[in-house]
Amino acid sequence: MLRASLAAVFAVFALGPAQAGPVSHFTLPNGLEAVVIEDHRAPVVVQMVWYKAGSADEQRGKSGIAHYLEHLMFKGTDTMAAGELSKTVAANGGSDNAFTSYDYTAYHQRIAADRLELVMRMEADRMRHLKISPDDWRTERQVILEERSQRIDSDPGAQFTEQARAAQFLNSPYGTPVIGWRQEMESLTREDALAWYHRYYAPNNAVLVVAGDVTPDQVQALAEKYYGPLDPSPDIPPRIRAQEPPQLAARRLEFHDDRVAQPYLIRTWLAPERNPGDQKQAAALTLLAAILGGNAQTSVLPRKLVFDRGDAIYVSAGYDGMSIDRTTFGISMMPAPDVSLPEAEKALDEALAEFLKEGVDPAQFERIRAQIRAGQIYEKDNTQGLAQRYGEALASGFTIDDVQAWPDVLMSVTEADVMAAAKAVLVPAASVTGYVAKGTPEAPAAQETAQ
């Protein structure tokens, strides 16, 4: 085994007065990257382990395997019984959970600072020593199928979102739901889960983030003790995914369900992602989302469509550039009771055309910048949020320098940058527009059996 105590001195360095306190970074000889965020205001610590593997890394036909393994990670090891990790954390007054996204899978605990060694020992144990019994995999597969029934199949909004993403991403794995397509989930096996685990769960494919009442030396010593002896994997594949071809025509879909309480429309556009070392365009799109629909009272679209014209009762815009591959910029609109969805869409088109012609209001632009600055100050108080920000970034290929440069990049964006981003992204041919309304969906056409 590769032991940290036999390796060269770690590269440990302070990275400036980042958020709640100093941020430090080191890498173990086996490849585990670690970030320490000091916050001594309360005797609490958060440990997060992020794996650089999410649903977008799955093999075609095996959708849902990343999320499936996330569930199985709470089963036992040679030294822990199934469920013991969570029970131990709870018995010590803490909480734990996990989540899977397109680009990563993360596991986290929040517990008293003097229990950090306890949770680190258990988390390191399951990084390389997971045991999946013949009974566990069948039971947990049924659990994720029931989760899909509750979160997707019984929720018309979630069903529509799933269909809209599939329409937006024809080739990218971002068009496949993180939880998986049901027919593929039903065929997942223990061997599939173990193959995924052995392929991606290794110290050299993980990021450890520890935030709270700790010191870098303390975290480094514990990481060396528990994660340091774990063998790295030499066979982690590069993150090369299928990419979207140029979108040459606008796409549309209509979704009807009797459970829809209020009709609404959503439009998304393919948009550039935030890239390591080059975050300016993503910053401009972040400000564009805030300007168009970040505030229900003062942003451009709510002001035009809700207060001035009365065509809508709600409008919002959103963009999240933290993505390895191309992402989306989106607008959602709920029309007023006497406005049809086509009428609402026409009003939205007119409002966007007016904005593209008139540009950004300078006073509003300064308001948005002030709000962003204030938000950055408030974020310093959220230790777990900071841990998530660093973990998500590093698991997505960014550096700590990228994370710490982001506020300055946001502040460097000009009105001209915002308008250039808007004109580049808000192109009709690159859009998907969806209507969601009450009604009975048409039954799928019966498939003919080949003779």
Side-chain angles (χ1 to χ4, degrees), residues 300-344:
V300 169
L301 295 179
R303 193 172 65 241
K304 285 179 180 289
L305 298 173
V306 178
F307 297 107
D308 294 349
R309 299 178 46 151
D311 291 311
I313 58 176
Y314 175 79
V315 187
S316 68
Y319 167 77
D320 182 4
M322 186 58 72
S323 174
I324 290 178
D325 299 310
R326 296 189 76 187
T327 182
T328 59
F329 186 99
I331 293 174
S332 61
M333 177 179 178
M334 189 171 287
D338 59 343
V339 177
S340 69
L341 286 170
E343 290 170 336

Side-chain angles (χ1 to χ4, degrees), residues 274 279-280 282-287 365 369 372-373 376 405-414 417:
R274 183 174 154 190
Q279 305 181 86
K280 189 67 175 283
L285 289 169
T286 299
L287 267 72
F365 187 70
R369 284 167 54 86
I372 288 174
R373 284 194 295 267
Q376 291 166 358
W406 177 243
D408 291 336
V409 175
L410 281 171
M411 289 298 99
S412 73
V413 171
T414 65
D417 294 330

